[in-house]
Amino acid sequence: MLYLVGLGLADETDITVKGLEVVKKASRVYLEAYTSILLVDQAVLENYYGRPIIVADREMVESNSDEILREADKVDVAFCVVGDPFGATTHTDLVLRARELGIAVKTIPNASIMSGIGAAGLQLYNFGQTVSMVFFTDTWRPSSFYDRIKENRDVGLHTLVLLDIKVKEQSLENMARGRRIYEPPRYMTVGQCASQMLEIEEERKQGVYGPDSLAIGAARVGGRDEKFVAGTLKELCETDDALGPPLHSMVLLGRRAHELERDYAREFSVNKETWDKLWTQYYGKQ
């Protein structure tokens, strides 16, 4: 059987008891290592799980899934995913390939950023579509996220923004020359995300959000040192030092925000006076 095992958000202890039992008995254990990362090294996981782990990068998962599925109709194979197994569409594709080969599949779910972001004090049923923000380059500035945020904002819903990570990526030059040389890992920060969002608003000028729009920056959600910072998009452009190391994510507040959400997030606001003033302006009396 192929097992898709969710590892949770932070470290080696976030795996469920059921997931750990699967990992310990599987013939092979893979760790998907490009849609997200845990906050601990591979060696820590191997020590805790008591098993060697095969790192599955993007190339293996998307282009060489036959190796992952090899003999999975005869033995148990564990494919471990940070967060929940279906947090990325790639894993749905892996399941479909397994079905075509007649391989049984079982999923062991776990916490993901989609549920963990509730620790920011926002009510999960007030969230709309989740969007992703990628690193801009001089020649590539995709802005489809803006349309999704607009749809959410039009009906008053919050937007969770997932930030880009670059793990085992090649430069265009090395890719063109066929050289297997990889760039150092990069992880987008809340400040970079907020800045890019404001750049696109300046281009689109549809008033979907602006420098004074309220948002919450999150870092290492689910970890022992998780951190939240609330403020305007302009303020969040300057909060990377407060948030600290990766992984970061961000929430843009919608107009359905509840007073309980206001009070909860106020405790980690950059400026409580500004927070109260803008909340009253956008969401009504306190």
Side-chain angles (χ1 to χ4, degrees):
M1 180 175 287
L2 172 67
Y3 287 91
L4 272 67
V5 181
L7 298 183
L9 286 167
D11 58 38
E12 74 280 10
T13 65
D14 283 346
I15 191 172
T16 64
V17 173
K18 186 182 294 184
L20 185 59
E21 290 175 349
V22 168
V23 167
K24 285 183 175 294
K25 74 173 185 179
S27 294
R28 299 192 307 280
V29 180
Y30 293 91
L31 173 63
E32 189 266 271
Y34 69 90
T35 59
S36 188
I37 61 167
L38 284 180
L39 304 179
V40 294
D41 294 332
Q42 176 183 344
V44 175
L45 296 182
E46 291 180 328
N47 182 63
Y48 188 79
Y49 300 161
R51 298 296 312 280
I53 293 174
I54 304 167
V55 175
D57 59 17
R58 182 189 296 271
E59 182 178 357
M60 172 178 281
V61 177
E62 295 185 349
S63 303
N64 194 24
S65 61
D66 289 346
E67 173 57 27
I68 298 172
L69 298 175
R70 176 174 52 85
E71 296 187 337
D73 56 335
K74 302 181 181 68
V75 299
D76 289 337
V77 175
F79 183 77
C80 300
V81 181
V82 176
D84 185 82
F86 290 111
T89 55
T90 295
H91 310 133
T92 303
D93 184 62
L94 184 64
V95 171
L96 293 175
R97 295 185 193 187
R99 287 178 181 174
E100 291 174 357
L101 296 172
I103 297 169
V105 180
K106 186 173 180 60
T107 303
I108 312 297
N110 208 322
S112 73
I113 189 61
M114 308 284 279
S115 58
I117 197 63
L122 302 178
Q123 299 167 0
L124 294 179
Y125 50 75
N126 277 341
F127 279 78
Q129 304 168 84
T130 297
V131 303
S132 297
M133 176 70 74
V134 302
F135 284 108
F136 287 175
T137 69
D138 292 339
T139 57
W140 191 55
R141 295 159 55 86
S143 61
S144 59
F145 69 87
Y146 187 88
D147 301 307
R148 304 290 82 76
I149 292 176
K150 184 179 187 303
E151 291 171 1
N152 288 344
R153 301 275 283 183
D154 285 346
V155 292
L157 298 175
H158 307 318
T159 301
L160 172 61
V161 186
L162 304 180
L163 310 192
D164 200 4
I165 67 172
K166 297 291 187 185
V167 179
K168 201 175 180 181
E169 296 279 341
Q170 294 176 279
S171 68
L172 292 176
E173 180 182 356
N174 286 328
M175 189 180 300
R177 294 176 178 271
R179 298 184 298 206
R180 292 184 175 273
I181 300 174
Y182 301 100
E183 301 295 296
R186 290 191 296 149
Y187 308 97
M188 182 179 285
T189 66
V190 164
Q192 290 171 314
C193 175
S195 178
Q196 290 187 179
M197 287 180 65
L198 291 174
E199 286 181 30
I200 297 302
E201 177 58 54
E202 185 64 25
E203 291 178 5
R204 294 286 196 100
K205 298 185 185 301
Q206 295 181 36
V208 173
Y209 51 76
D212 288 337
S213 295
L214 295 181
I216 297 177
R220 302 171 303 285
V221 173
R224 295 181 178 90
D225 63 342
E226 71 178 3
K227 179 78 173 181
F228 300 100
V229 175
T232 66
L233 277 179
K234 183 177 181 180
E235 288 173 334
L236 291 186
C237 288
E238 307 296 333
T239 58
D240 286 348
D241 288 343
L243 283 168
L247 295 171
H248 288 191
S249 53
M250 193 177 77
V251 180
L252 189 65
L253 271 62
R255 293 183 181 274
R256 287 190 191 177
H258 190 275
E259 60 184 13
L260 293 177
E261 295 175 298
R262 173 201 68 206
D263 295 343
Y264 196 108
R266 185 180 189 275
E267 291 305 307
F268 40 78
S269 59
V270 174
N271 184 309
K272 290 182 172 57
E273 183 177 338
T274 300
W275 179 263
D276 291 341
K277 176 183 176 182
L278 290 175
W279 189 285
T280 301
Q281 177 180 334
Y282 289 126
Y283 308 116
K285 296 181 179 180
Q286 300 185 45

